[in-house]
Amino acid sequence: MYTQSFNVPDSAGLKSVPQAPSTENLEFQARFDSKVDADGKIEPQDWMPDAYRKTLVRQISQHAHSEIVGMLPEGNWISRAPSLKRKAILIAKVQDEGGHGLYLYSAAETLGTSRDQMLEGLHSGKAKYSSIFNYPTLNWADVGVVGWLVDGAAIMNQIPLCRCSYGPYARAMIRVCKEESFHQRQGYEALLVMMQGTAEQKAMVQDAVNRWWWKCLAMFGPPDADSPHSAQAMRWGIKRISNDDLRQKFVDATVPQAKVLGVTLPDPDLKWNEERQHHDYGQIDWDEFWATVNGSGPCNKERLATRVKAHNDGQWVRDAALAYSRKQQTHATKEAA
Ligand code: BYC
């Protein structure tokens, strides 16, 4: 459905933000600007403005946190998957999300922020992660819908990031997107099977779609007019397509998929607009979105508590790995002497 071949032109207006006057070394700044303008890659050893570094650490660490917190709602279903096949697929998917977190933390570390610092931000509740993971997965249909819609929205947002100006982030995203594509397809396929089942199964799918649809639209972030970071992130080639444009692409791609599946999308205002050549859609509840982002969603407390417990429970593994590494270093030093 969405693959690497899904590529879209940059939004109109890209690079429209005037360059802020820099107090940094002007020559370095000019070299950085021309590389970004030529769609080149900035690498960890290159000079970069502090604000660019800060923005990347913010976005990449939030993204990494989303991946590892995103393991939790689906992880809850591994022991209750309806068949061995579904269990094996779900284990692989949840494991992939853990891997995505690792690539992303590694990409952020190249900017000089340690993984411990980033995790401390997450565990203390200071750092953000995607709003979508603060909603519950109530039944097996939710697992399919998370794959279809949540991973579908994630891919739509992440494919443009494969062309992000920061090399390590862009390269990490290539593999992430390939895996996300599998995640989305497995969710959709699980739902197709349920939709051929009993009336009760079909109702479960429709109910799950009704609960997740609006939350998935909000995942793309606030409307462009209320997005404080977008303009500068686009000027720097970090963001390639705006929040609203990605949301629109997601709606347009999802409507025909819903038709094939045989479900309706819970929006009376959703309709094709011939003039715009896009679907119109209704109002997103931004108050509910911000309440969730700021800690008051239905599962925020539970997610954070589970995450902190998992981290603490894994302390012995980190201790053992460090002890082993120290031992190896001592051996190597002795041999070299
Ligand atoms: N949830 O100026 P804006 C996945 C925050 S992983 C929470 O538009 P930006 C998956 C935003 O951070 C999905 N917060 O910001 C994993 C900012 O707050 P701060 C995650 C949100 O950065 C496992 C403020 O609102 N994907 O799908 O230009 C299993 C203002 O927003 C959200 C990524 O992280 C939100 N939904 O644009 C299955 C992709 N939206 O920092 C699936 C990478 C906005 O000022 N990230 N905020 O306190 C991005 O592309 C961008 O960071 C965003 C936001 C489009 C998300």
Side-chain angles (χ1 to χ4, degrees):
M1 287 185 177
Y2 308 117
T3 66
Q4 292 301 344
S5 62
F6 170 82
N7 215 337
V8 277
D10 296 344
S11 293
L14 181 69
K15 296 174 185 160
S16 61
V17 180
Q19 185 64 62
S22 170
T23 51
E24 310 274 355
N25 182 313
L26 287 178
E27 197 185 309
F28 285 153
Q29 178 79 49
R31 210 176 297 158
F32 170 87
D33 290 341
S34 59
K35 210 178 217 182
V36 167
D37 288 345
D39 270 346
K41 290 278 177 269
I42 306 297
E43 297 297 339
Q45 67 276 15
D46 293 339
W47 183 91
M48 62 188 85
D50 281 347
Y52 176 82
R53 187 185 299 277
K54 215 169 138 202
T55 292
L56 281 168
V57 171
R58 178 187 64 80
Q59 177 167 328
I60 303 173
S61 63
Q62 286 178 1
H63 193 165
H65 299 330
S66 302
E67 297 286 355
I68 62 169
V69 176
M71 297 167 77
L72 303 175
E74 289 176 289
N76 280 343
W77 281 91
I78 290 174
S79 60
R80 290 174 287 170
S83 69
L84 183 58
K85 175 181 146 186
R86 295 290 171 201
K87 190 193 287 271
I89 292 172
L90 191 57
I91 290 172
K93 179 185 191 299
V94 172
Q95 186 171 299
D96 283 353
E97 310 297 2
H100 298 174
L102 295 183
Y103 317 147
L104 289 164
Y105 284 123
S106 299
E109 279 181 314
T110 65
L111 292 155
T113 302
S114 75
R115 193 173 307 190
D116 284 347
Q117 283 172 291
M118 291 184 262
L119 286 176
E120 157 57 23
L122 173 65
H123 296 159
S124 62
K126 276 188 234 133
K128 287 194 169 71
Y129 58 86
S130 181
S131 49
I132 199 73
F133 302 117
N134 292 310
Y135 301 103
T137 41
L138 300 180
N139 61 47
W140 180 253
D142 288 51
V143 176
V145 169
V146 166
W148 173 38
L149 295 181
V150 175
D151 287 80
I155 304 169
M156 198 57 90
N157 161 278
Q158 291 173 1
I159 284 177
L161 292 173
C162 298
R163 293 184 294 119
C164 153
S165 60
Y166 188 57
Y169 191 24
R171 290 189 288 273
M173 291 318 300
I174 291 172
R175 179 158 173 184
V176 170
C177 285
K178 285 186 177 156
E179 292 175 351
E180 294 290 8
S181 177
F182 154 69
H183 297 169
Q184 198 247 3
R185 285 159 199 240
Q186 67 78 36
Y188 193 66
E189 193 269 339
L191 296 177
L192 280 172
V193 171
M194 284 185 85
M195 290 302 286
Q196 282 151 26
T198 62
E200 201 184 350
Q201 284 174 306
K202 289 180 195 171
M204 276 168 72
V205 174
Q206 183 62 60
D207 173 59
V209 170
N210 293 347
R211 282 181 289 106
W212 287 93
W213 174 247
W214 289 104
K215 319 294 183 208
C216 288
L217 294 194
M219 263 178 87
F220 292 92
D224 295 349
D226 304 325
S227 161
H229 300 300
S230 279
Q232 185 63 73
M234 290 180 87
R235 169 68 185 86
W236 279 326
I238 296 172
K239 250 178 160 166
R240 297 285 180 168
I241 303 182
S242 80
N243 297 0
D244 285 332
D245 287 350
L246 284 170
R247 193 169 5 252
Q248 182 70 64
K249 283 174 191 302
F250 176 71
V251 173
D252 291 342
T254 308
V255 167
Q257 294 168 9
K259 209 167 171 194
V260 170
L261 194 56
V263 293
T264 55
L265 298 170
D267 178 358
D269 297 325
L270 184 67
K271 59 175 180 309
W272 179 251
N273 181 324
E274 193 59 37
E275 202 180 316
R276 291 200 310 121
Q277 289 290 299
H278 289 295
H279 291 86
D280 291 336
Y281 56 90
Q283 275 298 317
I284 295 168
D285 185 347
W286 291 112
D287 290 341
E288 194 273 345
F289 167 80
W290 287 117
T292 301
V293 169
N294 292 323
S296 305
C299 300
N300 295 60
K301 287 192 180 66
E302 181 190 329
R303 297 289 183 244
L304 212 54
T306 309
R307 180 60 223 145
V308 169
K309 181 176 182 314
H311 186 74
N312 292 341
D313 288 351
Q315 185 61 48
W316 69 271
V317 179
R318 293 189 294 280
D319 289 345
L322 282 174
Y324 179 73
S325 160
R326 260 183 238 116
K327 232 185 225 173
Q328 295 290 96
Q329 266 171 10
T330 313
H331 285 319
T333 316
K334 268 189 194 152
E335 269 170 32

